[in-house]
Amino acid sequence: MKTVIFDLDGTLADTSGDLIAAANHCFRDMGEGDVLDPGADAGTALRGGRAMLRAGLARLGHARMEETIDRYYPVLLRAYGDAIDVHTQIYPRAMEAVEALKSGGYGVGICTNKPEGLADTLLRSLGVRESFASLVGADTLQVRKPDPQPLYEAVRRAGGAPGQTVLIGDSDTDRNTARAAQVPCVLVTFGPAGGDMAALEPEGLLADYADLPQMVDRLLA
């Protein structure tokens, strides 16, 4: 089976608002107030919890940064899990594209660097978990993207073959994962990092999910 594997944060859904809120919970706990801005720091949010903590602590000129990140990362995950879908929204026409791909005979799954449990919780809260045949998170295997093994596992669980898949993402991590797996990559241009995507030279650039099924057909012809 030919397979389409999606990244989650910044690709299928804009999760940045809830991620920023979880990071600011940590900074308030430190007595620093809201250090990150939901608009200006959205791109950092989609790189994960540690990246947000590192950015905020650097902004504060905080000493013993890595020790503080290690201490507050579990706090951030708990805060995020407690309010995981307050601001998050699936991108327009994303689920219509997913269903069109499935109707066209493609297996569809998710490979994300979000912890698997949180990804599962979010997808169920959004009412779309059952639309995906596989879900592989940052902690599903011993390695995470850009190592190709999580992508291979997402493909396998979706019933596909690694050599007949496309990875849909929004970052250099996704581009490097696809390159390591020797599969084509489509990067979305509507996320917080969209302006940088062309420079990564993916096989496809996606501005509207309505165009994805035809793009996948072309890449896997």
Side-chain angles (χ1 to χ4, degrees):
M1 180 185 292
K2 295 180 180 180
T3 313
V4 183
I5 303 297
F6 292 83
D7 175 53
L8 178 53
D9 297 78
T11 299
L12 278 172
D14 184 354
T15 57
S16 60
D18 291 318
L19 290 166
I20 291 287
N24 280 332
H25 170 88
C26 296
F27 295 126
R28 289 195 301 272
D29 189 72
M30 299 175 200
E32 300 290 355
D34 289 350
V35 176
L36 299 183
D37 178 82
D41 294 310
T44 300
L46 297 177
R47 291 188 174 273
R50 292 182 181 275
M52 290 189 294
L53 291 172
R54 185 170 290 108
L57 292 171
R59 197 167 295 171
L60 294 167
H62 200 284
R64 305 171 72 175
M65 183 181 294
E66 295 306 317
E67 177 183 328
T68 303
I69 291 171
D70 288 342
R71 184 166 72 251
Y72 271 96
Y73 184 62
V75 177
L76 185 151
L77 291 181
R78 287 194 297 272
Y80 181 60
D82 288 342
I84 200 168
D85 63 350
V86 177
H87 305 291
T88 292
Q89 293 186 335
I90 297 175
Y91 285 114
R93 292 171 290 283
M95 295 312 301
E96 290 87 345
V98 167
E99 294 305 321
L101 289 166
K102 291 165 62 178
S103 295
Y106 292 97
V108 179
I110 291 176
C111 182
T112 174
N113 275 350
K114 185 191 290 295
E116 182 181 345
L118 287 174
D120 185 75
T121 296
L122 177 59
L123 291 166
R124 292 187 186 281
S125 179
L126 295 172
V128 299
R129 176 62 185 90
E130 299 306 317
S131 294
F132 299 93
S134 64
L135 170 59
V136 172
D139 52 356
T140 305
L141 305 180
Q142 294 299 310
V143 293
R144 58 192 286 175
K145 296 185 298 184
D147 191 290
Q149 292 306 317
L151 174 59
Y152 292 151
E153 182 67 9
V155 171
R156 185 189 68 80
R157 293 186 183 189
Q164 288 289 304
T165 194
V166 176
L167 177 61
I168 316 301
D170 74 312
S171 68
D172 56 345
T173 297
D174 295 311
R175 181 70 189 100
N176 291 334
T177 302
R179 184 176 285 118
Q182 297 184 309
V183 301
C185 179
V186 172
L187 297 178
V188 302
T189 61
F190 44 75
D196 300 326
M197 294 302 98
L200 298 176
E201 299 182 345
E203 284 70 30
L205 291 167
L206 184 68
D208 189 320
Y209 264 112
D211 299 326
L212 183 61
Q214 182 177 6
M215 188 177 296
V216 169
D217 286 343
R218 173 176 59 79
L219 291 171
L220 292 182

